[in-house]
Amino acid sequence: LIRSLITKYAMLRSLSRMLRSGEATDHESESKNDEGGHEFELPSPVPEICTLTEEEQKLFQEKLAKNDTTAEEGMDTVSEEEHALRKMIEEELGVAAQDHKDDKVFLASSRIQKLHLFLRKITSEKSTEAKSLSAASILQKMIDSDPIFKEIMTESERARKFLRKLESEEGWEVSHRGKKISSFWKEEKDSETYSFKVMGVVHNPILNLIPLLLETDLYPNWFPMMASAEELFSGSRFHKVVKSTMKMPFPLRIRECIIDGKGYDVMEHNRVVVSSHSISEHPRVNIGQCPEDRIRVDISVGGFELIPVGNQKSHVTVMFNLNPHIPYLPSRIANFFLKHVVNQIHSSMEKHSTFKKDSPYLKRMAEKADLYNYIEKRYEETRKLKNSIQHGEKREETTT
């Protein structure tokens, strides 16, 4: 009991010193960057339900008609219809698979859902029930025969789960609200986990922030309290398994976490999303036991959302739900502690994304020129498309 009380006292003293230090740093960071506040409108959330516009339906009809002309001679009418349907479905699923390969998981899942809606619509309008079932079964068989399409829907749901929690306002309490950043915490009932969310502006373009998230071994440069980050596996350009460690105040042991993180290109909805969670096993990684001098942390869901604001600013939201395995720590103190650690993320991101000549990120971007050129090209394409749509809408309003 005495040892327990001494440990608790030492921990609270260390925590108190860290909070006082963090509060001073936080106020200093706020005073340096209190310029203008949130004078912009964030884009709408990523839609949960897929809809089929008249223009999209027309496009599907044109593709179906085009494939109808490629039917072989001697086919009966039913066979020609099925051939055209099958050909169109194959083409659309092929595009969805390429979207998935390019980490455009929302675009890929949306394409499959819109295809479902179109097939349901045309078969209900002008086909018998048997043909309707045939069209649906053709699509389902093709999806079931390729694990890529199951992976698309699984990953889409994983990213949406993160965005639902991030964009939800239910249960969050304000911890700090400044002109540059606002932070929130949530006490998860009947659970040993704590949730925190910090959002605000970083005065650098989104293209400068992406390297900070992609170069995982450099996280200790800017992520508060992170001591090390080791890449264990890379599944794709934007999918990595990383082992990270966090420094803790005495007498707490080092915290370790094995993170499965994936970046998603959601630029069609004007954002980049990074979703992550902790894992205890992986088919391609030998994770092993946690060393005795560390404690492994559990993260159920977490990540980043980056939204471009003009050409020189980015709105960044960070959210995590985790179990830090810290004994004797009430949730309010834990979230207060997390606030003063996490509130430094935005200022640290801003500092390290303002690249100097000797920046390690400039070196990495040069070494991976193909990757970063692709990201820049994709960003510019979607921005131009968005601007052209907005100008078109304005012209239409003016004409009306």
Side-chain angles (χ1 to χ4, degrees):
L1 177 62
I2 293 173
R3 188 184 299 114
S4 172
L5 290 172
I6 292 172
T7 301
K8 183 177 179 181
Y9 173 72
M11 183 196 72
L12 290 176
R13 280 196 63 183
S14 296
L15 179 60
S16 177
R17 285 196 298 270
M18 180 169 286
L19 291 180
R20 286 198 299 271
S21 172
E23 190 165 8
T25 306
D26 187 38
H27 289 319
E28 181 182 346
S29 174
E30 283 293 312
S31 64
K32 285 181 180 179
N33 296 287
D34 279 355
E35 44 190 77
H38 302 288
E39 297 176 357
F40 55 86
E41 184 178 347
L42 292 176
S44 302
V46 178
E48 283 279 345
I49 300 174
C50 220
T51 57
L52 187 68
T53 65
E54 289 185 9
E55 188 65 29
E56 289 167 337
Q57 184 179 336
K58 183 180 177 183
L59 196 60
F60 275 128
Q61 290 281 13
E62 290 173 356
K63 291 178 180 178
L64 189 57
K66 178 184 174 183
N67 286 314
D68 201 19
T69 62
T70 64
E72 297 176 8
E73 290 187 16
M75 281 186 177
D76 57 31
T77 305
V78 174
S79 298
E80 287 178 1
E81 284 185 9
E82 184 173 324
H83 171 83
L85 275 171
R86 187 179 293 276
K87 194 74 175 174
M88 187 195 71
I89 292 170
E90 284 177 353
E91 290 175 357
E92 288 302 304
L93 291 181
V95 177
Q98 184 59 48
D99 287 339
H100 173 258
K101 186 177 179 181
D102 292 335
D103 297 283
K104 303 172 189 173
V105 68
F106 283 90
L107 206 57
S109 65
S110 173
R111 197 178 298 278
I112 294 173
Q113 290 175 55
K114 287 178 186 291
L115 186 58
H116 268 293
L117 292 173
F118 173 71
L119 293 177
R120 192 181 304 160
K121 188 172 182 63
I122 62 166
T123 52
S124 64
E125 286 178 352
K126 61 178 184 179
S127 299
T128 64
E129 184 179 352
K131 288 180 183 176
S132 172
L133 291 171
S134 175
S137 64
I138 289 171
L139 175 60
Q140 198 58 52
K141 282 179 181 177
M142 289 186 179
I143 290 175
D144 291 342
S145 67
D146 196 327
I148 286 178
F149 303 114
K150 183 178 180 181
E151 190 176 333
I152 286 172
M153 305 314 291
T154 301
E155 287 186 10
S156 173
E157 181 53 34
R158 166 181 164 175
R160 286 184 186 279
K161 178 184 176 184
F162 165 67
L163 285 177
R164 282 188 209 109
K165 196 169 185 69
L166 181 138
E167 292 169 351
S168 169
E169 296 181 359
E170 185 179 351
W172 292 101
E173 294 191 28
V174 177
S175 176
H176 168 84
R177 195 182 292 279
K179 289 185 179 179
K180 189 184 175 188
I181 59 172
S182 298
S183 56
F184 308 84
W185 68 275
K186 183 189 292 189
E187 184 174 359
E188 305 290 355
K189 296 180 180 178
D190 303 322
S191 170
E192 295 181 347
T193 66
Y194 310 101
S195 293
F196 66 86
K197 176 168 64 173
V198 183
M199 57 175 61
V201 179
V202 173
H203 288 71
N204 271 321
I206 192 172
L207 291 175
N208 284 38
L209 301 181
I210 289 174
L212 270 64
L213 301 180
L214 270 182
E215 304 302 331
T216 52
D217 62 313
L218 299 180
Y219 267 51
N221 288 358
W222 63 271
F223 200 95
M225 294 180 64
M226 188 169 289
S228 67
E230 177 189 357
E231 183 180 310
L232 303 179
F233 173 72
S234 180
S236 70
R237 293 176 298 186
F238 309 125
H239 179 203
K240 298 182 179 182
V241 176
V242 178
K243 177 168 71 175
S244 65
T245 60
M246 302 284 286
K247 295 176 290 187
M248 300 297 290
F250 177 83
L252 297 176
R253 282 184 279 174
I254 293 170
R255 260 49 185 178
E256 177 183 278
C257 191
I258 313 298
I259 301 170
D260 187 319
K262 189 165 180 61
Y264 300 99
D265 176 347
V266 201
M267 284 306 297
E268 67 273 14
H269 295 292
N270 205 33
R271 68 197 76 206
V272 171
V273 174
V274 178
S275 172
S276 61
H277 62 270
S278 62
I279 57 174
S280 57
E281 57 183 20
H282 190 280
R284 303 286 294 276
V285 179
N286 181 19
I287 292 176
Q289 297 294 318
C290 185
E292 291 185 2
D293 64 336
R294 304 175 185 179
I295 292 179
R296 194 162 281 171
V297 171
D298 303 316
I299 297 176
S300 62
V301 62
F304 297 80
E305 180 188 56
L306 310 181
I307 298 174
V309 181
N311 293 323
Q312 297 301 320
K313 295 181 183 179
S314 304
H315 186 272
V316 179
T317 304
V318 186
M319 191 279 294
F320 281 94
N321 170 252
L322 57 84
N323 180 357
H325 295 286
I326 298 178
Y328 321 118
L329 203 59
S331 60
R332 287 183 179 271
I333 296 178
N335 281 284
F336 189 63
F337 167 75
L338 290 171
K339 174 201 129 176
H340 284 288
V341 173
V342 179
N343 270 10
Q344 311 310 314
I345 289 177
H346 287 70
S347 58
S348 184
M349 289 184 86
E350 187 166 306
K351 176 183 176 182
H352 289 277
S353 61
T354 305
F355 300 138
K356 298 179 181 178
K357 287 184 179 180
D358 60 346
S359 168
Y361 298 100
L362 287 179
K363 184 179 178 182
R364 291 290 176 87
M365 291 164 73
E367 292 171 350
K368 304 176 182 178
D370 289 346
L371 170 61
Y372 287 103
N373 287 340
Y374 165 79
I375 293 171
E376 184 176 1
K377 182 181 178 183
R378 167 68 176 157
Y379 173 77
E380 295 299 339
E381 284 175 352
T382 52
R383 297 293 282 179
K384 285 179 183 177
L385 179 61
K386 180 187 174 187
N387 290 336
S388 66
I389 292 171
Q390 287 178 339
H391 291 323
E393 289 172 349
K394 288 179 181 178
R395 282 196 297 272
E396 188 176 328
E397 288 174 5
T398 304
T399 306
T400 306

